[in-house]
Amino acid sequence: MTELTGRERQVLALMAEGRSNQGICDRLFLSHKTVEAHVKHIFAKLGLEESPDNDRRVLAVIAYLRSSTGRHRAGWRGGHVLDPAHPARTAAFSS
């Protein structure tokens, strides 16, 4: 993840929260074209090439979650989907 810029890491974090490109635009006050460019750069920097067999967005999020797991073990609570109290997690696992 160190090869990503700060803004690219912000975009990837929002992707990990399940935000669409439009949701990222709204949250970061960026144009759709700018968010698409950041997503494209994230895929390139993580070596995620287009493939009919894989979803690059999901693979990028998995890489992000794996790289940030240590912060969660250390007690970090930034509203991330790995946080047990995060609404996305509680909604996804309560039925």
Side-chain angles (χ1 to χ4, degrees):
M1 289 299 135
T2 57
E3 62 274 5
L4 299 180
T5 66
R7 180 61 90 180
E8 289 165 349
R9 284 192 298 274
Q10 285 179 317
V11 168
L12 185 51
L14 291 170
M15 289 168 55
E17 289 181 6
R19 308 260 184 213
S20 65
N21 282 1
Q22 186 60 53
I24 295 168
C25 292
D26 296 343
R27 187 78 174 255
L28 298 179
F29 305 103
L30 299 173
S31 72
H32 199 274
K33 185 175 180 179
T34 300
V35 170
E36 285 180 344
H38 285 310
V39 172
K40 180 180 173 184
H41 292 142
I42 290 166
F43 293 158
K45 289 179 179 181
L46 295 179
L48 301 173
E49 297 180 11
E50 259 188 88
S51 165
D53 297 327
N54 299 314
D55 185 325
R56 294 186 296 171
R57 195 171 184 102
V58 171
L59 293 175
V61 167
I62 290 169
Y64 171 79
L65 294 175
R66 285 182 178 158
S67 75
S68 63
T69 303
R71 286 187 279 174
H72 297 287
R73 280 194 215 123
W76 182 75
R77 293 286 184 250
H80 193 277
V81 288
L82 289 182
D83 183 343
H86 190 278
R89 183 177 173 101
T90 54
F93 294 102
S94 63
S95 12

